[in-house]
Each structure stands twice: as structure tokens, then as C-alpha cells.
Amino acid sequence: MVRFSTRTFLLEHLQFFTSLVKFMRNPCVDAGLIPPLVQMLNCKDQEVLLQTGRALGNICYDSHEGRSAVDHAGGAHIVVDLIRSLCSKTDPASEKLLTVFCGMLMNYSNENDTLQSQLINMGVIPTLVKLLGIHCQNAALTEMCLVAFGNLAELESSKEQFAYTNIAEELVKLFKKQVEHDKKEMIFEVLAPLAENDVIKLQLVEAGLVECLLEIVQKTVDSDKEDDVAELKTASDLMVLLLLGDESMQKLFEGGKGSVFQRVLSWIPSNSHQLQLAGALAIANFARNDGNCIHMVDNGIVQKLMDLLDRHVEDGNVTVQHAALSALRNLAIPVVNKAKMLSAGVAEAVLKFLRSEMPPVQFKLLGTLRMLIDAQAEAAEQLGKNAKLVERLVEWCEAKDHAGVMGESNRLLSALIRHSKSKDVIRTIVQSGGIKHLVTMATSEHVIMQNEALVALALIAALELVTAEKDLENAQLVQILHRLLSDDRSAPEIKYNSMVLVCALIGSESLQKEVQNMAFLEVVSKLRSHENKTVAQQASLTEQRLAVES
């Protein structure tokens, strides 16, 4: 037991030391003062513990050397054990001590993944969650817990631990009590990283967070106060995040009859850009399975999205454009929706954004059109004969700074040919200079894109070889096909479609000469023993055709 005189002396020195380390962290570390300070955490005197905790918190504040010294002296481990032992005590002195210790851990681990992982491995998360539940009436301690959660919640390993606690229930309960903007914002900062975990998403939905968010939206939507605008954005963004989980999304969809789904629909015609954005993104998230997509299209959601796009054609909000196009693209995936959406005029609505210079909008525009024309011959022909569209696609095929836009442009160019099988479409693409891009696409690192290009080129060769002949020569298609067939890494379907294309190219005198000069017979004959039977059969047919033409 510490005698009174010694205790007084000790406390005076600790208080002096606590204020000193704010200005002299590194000298204190270099002087070896941290290990004896950490040992004082074993003292039973609460005032000594309080001052020691404060001193260690100051040592750790924004100091790598201080944190490292505390770590080596085992300080964090002792503090975690102390928090665990004091957790259930609700007297003022214990709560004050818990607040200081939580603050010390916050300073210790702030923006340091290694030390955060260390605390997680010590099992600090369940302890802190329990602490929040027991001491939710203590504002200072609650705030310190929330800051500690915010520190830890960014790590993936922490989310797994949080998922095994009742953190969702505690945070929602705490959130419902808050009136001040700053306090709500603090809880939001913990909720956002936690809600990235699908298990926690569902827990938050079941704990009633969605109702809280909808209430905030309702209260703030017509306000222009800075705090209200910030709350509206945070609440609607978090709502969209909750819908990224399959289970949480389906729970809120409720077969399209859920009150949450209906409320989100009402955001789309709103005058608030933030709500328009969140509403469109929410629809895109709901549209992640065929059943939901079919229900939404049958219930008029497409018209709402087209009306929204119409409001943003001239100098529109790019994020809203992108979100609405994302939703339409997802809705167009089920086969039964394509014709309905085309009849509703979605293609025409999307084409209004051809002038956009914003890559995210271009990317979604292309994806939406590609989904719409899948197996829709009439629509593919109509779009493929649209010279303005094709010229824009050819331009975007050269957007080397935006790989996504470049890839989608190539894929749509190929899709227009594959789904229309139209000579007019092929002529339009030849006239616009698109052939070279399809040939380049055949060398893509993605097998699906290679295949789409080869099938489109085979249709060109079968339907309009004379028109495309010169462009195919200039793009060195024959040399590329030889390379694809010679390469052992080429997928079976690539080899198969390359041989089909070779056979089609023989119909051109100049291309036939190139094929003969490249010694294709030798390459093709080796493929007769290919392990894939379809490839082997096509090799035999191709060999016969080449032998006849030679």
C-alpha cells in the first residue's frame, strides 16, 4: 500500500510529468521513463491510475516513438485488462478512469494498422461494445468509445469481430437518443465503415437503423442549413450502402411492397440532387436479381428513371446521370425486360447523353445499350445504322486514358454486329473506321472480349467481305489469327473461332494470299490432335479447306 506522503509526492510528479510529455515526448522516451510509468498501471490507487493513464495518452499522441515505447513496455495489454475489470462499474470514479483509458488506447492506435490489429487480437472490441451498452448515459465515456470504434472499424479483421457483438443494436439505440448534429455525425462515422460488412448490414437493418435514416431524410430534405444538408447526405448515402448486402437488400425490398422500397422510390422525383442520386443508386442496388428487376420494370420504375435523366440532359448533375444509367443497365439484364424497356424508349433516352465528355457517364451509357440489344436484332440494327452513335463508339475505342470506356465501346461495336447480323450495320461500321478496333479487340487479355471480336469479324467476313477487305488487311488480321492459333495459351473457343474466321477470309483473293504466305496449314494440322474435340474437328475442316484453296 502506498503511504499518504509517498502517494502525494507521486501524484504531484505524475501531474507534472503528464503536462511535461506534451512538449517533450521523445526526450521522455529516450530517458527510459516509459517502462516505470507503465508499471504504475499495476497500482491499486485510482488517482495514480488516472494520472498514469493521462501521461501514457499524452506520450502516445501523434508520436511513433511514444507508441512504440508503450507497446514494448506492455502498456496496451495492461490497459485493456484494466478496462475489462472496470467495465461493469458505474460509479463516477470508475467511469472517469475508463474514459481516460479509452482515450489512451485511441491515441495509442490512431491511424496505425499494426497497433489496431494488436488491440483487436487482445479482444478489445467485445469489451468496448459491452462498455458502450453499460455506460450509454455517460456522454464523455460514450464519446471516447465511439472514437475508439472509429479507429478500429476501418480494419477488415475488426468488422468480423464486431459482427459477433451486439454493436448494431447498441449504436442504433444510442443514435435514437441523439439530438445534436455533432453527436449524430460521430455515430455515422462508426456506422459507415461497419456497414461495409454484409453481416453487420443485416444486423443494422434488423436493429431499426433504416427507420432512423428515413426520419432524418424527411426532417432535413427541405432545409438549407449546413448541418441538415450534411445529415441528409450522410443518411441517404448510408441507406444506399445498406442495400449493397444481398440479404439486407432483399429484406427491405419485401417483394416490391416494402415501405422502405416505396419511400426510396419517392426520392427519384425529388428536387434534391442528393436524394435523386441516392434514389437511383438504391434502385440500382435493388436491381441485383432478375425477380426484383422484372417486378420493378412491370411497375413503372423505368419511366421514373427516364424522367430523372430528362431533368439532367443539359448541364446535368453527372453523379445523378451515372446513377440513373446504372439502374437502367441493371434493369435491362433479364431477357424479358429488354423488349419492354426498348418499347418504353430507353435507348432514345440514353442516346441523349452521347455528347457527354464524362467517362463515368460514357461507361454506363455503353453498358446500358449493350444490355438492351442483347438478342434484340431489330434494336441492334436500328442502333448499328445510327452513324452518329457508331462514330462516337469508334472515337471512344481510342480512349486509352479510360480503359473501361474503351473496352465497353469495343464490346458494343461487336454486339451491334453479332445481334443484328446486318449488312447495313457492317457497312456503317466500316465507313466509320471501326474494323481496326474489332481486330485489336481480338488480341484483348480478356477471353470474352476476344471471342466477341472474332464472332463479329466472322460475320463481317461472311456478309460484307468485299467492303471490309482493305480494312482487315491494314489491321493485319491474318497475322493476328496466326498468332492466336500458334499460341498454346489461347483458349479452345479462341482457336475454334479463329479457324472459322480463317475459312471465311479465304473468300478474298488478297487475304487468301496472306493466309497461304503465313503457312497456316502447319499450325492447323497440329490442332487436329487438340484435347478439345470441337477444336480438333474444326482443325480438320480448316485443313481440308486450306488444302483445296492452295
Side-chain angles (χ1 to χ4, degrees), residues 125-140:
I125 286 172
T127 303
L128 290 176
V129 174
K130 186 180 173 186
L131 200 66
L132 183 67
I134 294 170
H135 301 273
C136 57
Q137 302 301 325
N138 185 307

Side-chain angles (χ1 to χ4, degrees), residues 183-481:
K183 295 287 169 58
K184 287 182 189 173
E185 199 62 34
M186 191 174 278
I187 299 172
F188 273 140
E189 283 172 11
V190 180
L191 286 169
L194 288 180
E196 290 169 8
N197 178 281
D198 283 358
V199 175
I200 299 174
K201 280 186 182 77
L202 186 59
Q203 290 171 354
L204 289 168
V205 167
E206 289 173 342
L209 178 62
V210 171
E211 288 72 18
C212 296
L213 299 177
L214 290 173
E215 193 179 327
I216 287 174
V217 168
Q218 195 172 348
K219 283 180 180 175
T220 57
V221 65
D222 297 319
S223 172
D224 54 6
K225 287 182 189 171
E226 194 176 328
D227 284 354
D228 288 345
V229 171
E231 268 188 42
L232 176 71
K233 176 171 173 28
T234 309
S236 53
D237 284 351
L238 188 50
M239 183 77 199
V240 172
L241 182 56
L242 291 175
L243 291 172
L244 279 171
D246 288 338
E247 284 187 76
S248 53
M249 176 271 287
Q250 211 56 40
K251 187 176 180 66
L252 295 172
F253 189 67
E254 288 184 69
K257 295 179 173 61
S259 60
V260 173
F261 172 64
Q262 296 301 328
R263 289 276 288 278
V264 166
L265 278 188
S266 73
W267 294 356
I268 294 174
S270 160
N271 289 322
S272 158
H273 282 183
Q274 175 57 34
L275 277 195
Q276 291 170 7
L277 170 64
L281 287 174
I283 296 304
N285 286 345
F286 280 125
R288 287 210 315 280
N289 65 54
D290 283 6
N292 291 5
C293 288
I294 292 164
H295 181 279
M296 286 192 279
V297 169
D298 287 346
N299 284 274
I301 191 63
V302 169
Q303 191 58 53
K304 290 181 192 292
L305 290 167
M306 288 199 299
D307 291 344
L308 177 60
L309 279 174
D310 262 349
R311 294 168 70 179
H312 290 274
V313 174
E314 299 297 330
D315 303 319
N317 183 297
V318 172
T319 55
V320 174
Q321 292 171 358
H322 180 263
L325 289 168
S326 296
L328 287 170
R329 181 200 174 279
N330 287 2
L331 290 168
I333 292 172
V335 176
V336 294
N337 281 357
K338 297 179 195 297
K340 293 174 187 174
M341 291 176 70
L342 286 164
S343 299
V346 172
E348 292 77 9
V350 170
L351 285 172
K352 291 176 185 175
F353 294 90
L354 262 186
R355 289 171 294 173
S356 174
E357 294 301 329
M358 305 305 293
V361 174
Q362 295 167 354
F363 181 73
K364 288 299 177 183
L365 175 154
L366 293 164
T368 306
L369 290 176
R370 187 166 63 80
M371 285 300 159
L372 281 171
I373 65 166
D374 189 11
Q376 305 296 311
E378 191 180 328
E381 182 165 10
Q382 193 179 346
L383 288 173
K385 290 192 291 187
N386 182 330
K388 280 186 180 175
L389 169 62
V390 174
E391 283 165 14
R392 196 69 160 134
L393 292 184
V394 170
E395 181 189 331
W396 287 341
C397 281
E398 294 171 0
K400 290 184 171 59
D401 291 341
H402 304 286
V405 172
M406 189 166 72
E408 276 293 342
S409 300
N410 278 298
R411 293 190 76 185
L412 182 53
L413 211 54
S414 160
L416 291 169
I417 295 168
R418 289 183 294 109
H419 297 303
S420 71
K421 298 179 177 61
S422 159
K423 291 187 174 190
D424 288 338
V425 171
I426 293 169
R427 287 190 204 108
T428 305
I429 289 172
V430 171
Q431 285 161 13
S432 301
I435 297 298
K436 63 181 179 183
H437 296 299
L438 290 171
V439 174
T440 302
M441 184 180 168
T443 65
S444 167
E445 59 187 19
H446 305 291
V447 173
I448 191 167
M449 287 180 67
Q450 279 186 292
N451 217 32
E452 287 171 359
L454 291 169
V455 172
L457 289 165
L459 284 165
I460 291 168
L463 298 171
E464 276 294 324
L465 184 55
V466 175
T467 309
E469 183 180 52
K470 205 72 194 160
D471 286 354
L472 293 171
E473 276 184 64
N474 292 338
Q476 299 188 314
L477 174 61
V478 172
Q479 290 89 327
I480 285 168
L481 291 174

Side-chain angles (χ1 to χ4, degrees), residues 19-88:
S19 55
L20 178 71
V21 292
K22 287 182 182 178
F23 311 103
M24 299 182 67
R25 287 185 183 86
N26 288 356
C28 289
V29 170
D30 295 340
L33 296 176
I34 307 309
L37 187 64
V38 166
Q39 286 309 307
M40 295 183 72
L41 290 169
N42 296 310
C43 178
K44 302 298 180 191
D45 188 298
Q46 284 205 333
E47 191 61 31
V48 171
L49 287 173
L50 191 70
Q51 294 303 332
T52 304
R54 282 176 178 158
L56 288 171
N58 283 345
I59 280 283
C60 293
Y61 182 76
D62 205 20
S63 166
H64 172 72
E65 292 77 13
R67 291 169 182 172
S68 185
V70 172
D71 177 23
H72 288 134
H77 208 293
I78 297 172
V79 168
V80 170
D81 285 343
L82 284 168
I83 292 174
R84 208 170 274 136
S85 67
L86 290 165
C87 186
S88 301

Side-chain angles (χ1 to χ4, degrees), residues 169-184:
E169 191 184 322
E170 293 297 351
L171 287 175
V172 172
K173 201 192 305 176
L174 188 64
F175 190 85
K176 286 176 180 176
K177 295 176 186 172
Q178 304 310 314
V179 178
E180 294 172 39
H181 168 75
D182 290 348
K183 295 287 169 58
K184 287 182 189 173

